[in-house]
Amino acid sequence: MNRRIILTASFFGAVAVILGAFGAHSLKNLLSADAISVWTKGIEYQFYHTFALLFLSTFGRFRSRLVDFSYLCFSLGIVLFSGSLYLLATREITQLSWVGILGPITPLGGLFLIGGWILLFFAALKNR
């Protein structure tokens, strides 16, 4: 599990750097300031939770179900929260009509991120 968490965090970290650079260099002239702000928020939260995953990997040796569920929550949260923000931010240029339904997905992703932190809290309490 520890290896999987580190691999996942490495992947999310690399993608965050790539998308951050893409937003800063390629999208800044194509999107409104509000859309760039939404894009940037997705990058920020992806990075925060990539670091949370790396920290979570230090608990991997305890083989706790709380760690497993926290890993799952952080991973799903990154995909749903940040992923929906990326799609919502670029809807001006992608012209994808179905992107409007993603509004409720963003808070669901946020709930997964919150759940990951709560589960990490309990994993830390359990494994002194």
Side-chain angles (χ1 to χ4, degrees):
M1 185 63 174
N2 187 28
R3 182 173 185 259
R4 184 180 342 151
I5 294 171
I6 293 170
L7 290 172
T8 302
S10 299
F11 172 77
F12 282 138
V15 169
V17 171
I18 292 166
L19 292 178
F22 179 70
H25 299 290
S26 298
L27 294 179
K28 70 178 179 181
N29 295 326
L30 300 173
L31 300 179
S32 68
D34 287 340
I36 289 293
S37 176
V38 170
W39 181 273
T40 302
K41 191 58 64 182
I43 298 294
E44 288 174 16
Y45 274 79
Q46 185 168 341
F47 267 125
Y48 298 152
H49 293 89
T50 294
F51 292 128
L53 282 169
L54 286 173
F55 180 73
L56 187 65
S57 72
T58 66
F59 287 84
R61 65 183 175 272
F62 296 113
R63 301 293 302 156
S64 166
R65 306 240 327 118
L66 292 170
V67 171
D68 294 346
F69 286 129
S70 182
Y71 163 75
L72 182 63
C73 283
F74 282 142
S75 297
L76 284 173
I78 289 170
V79 170
L80 295 176
F81 185 83
S82 292
S84 65
L85 289 181
Y86 301 143
L87 288 171
L88 288 167
T90 58
R91 68 180 157 187
E92 295 172 16
I93 58 174
T94 60
Q95 301 294 316
L96 298 174
S97 60
W98 55 269
V99 170
I101 66 168
L102 292 178
I105 300 294
T106 308
L108 179 63
L111 288 175
F112 276 110
L113 296 174
I114 293 167
W117 285 108
I118 291 169
L119 290 165
L120 175 58
F121 175 84
F122 286 113
L125 279 178
K126 183 180 173 188
N127 298 301
R128 298 176 225 233

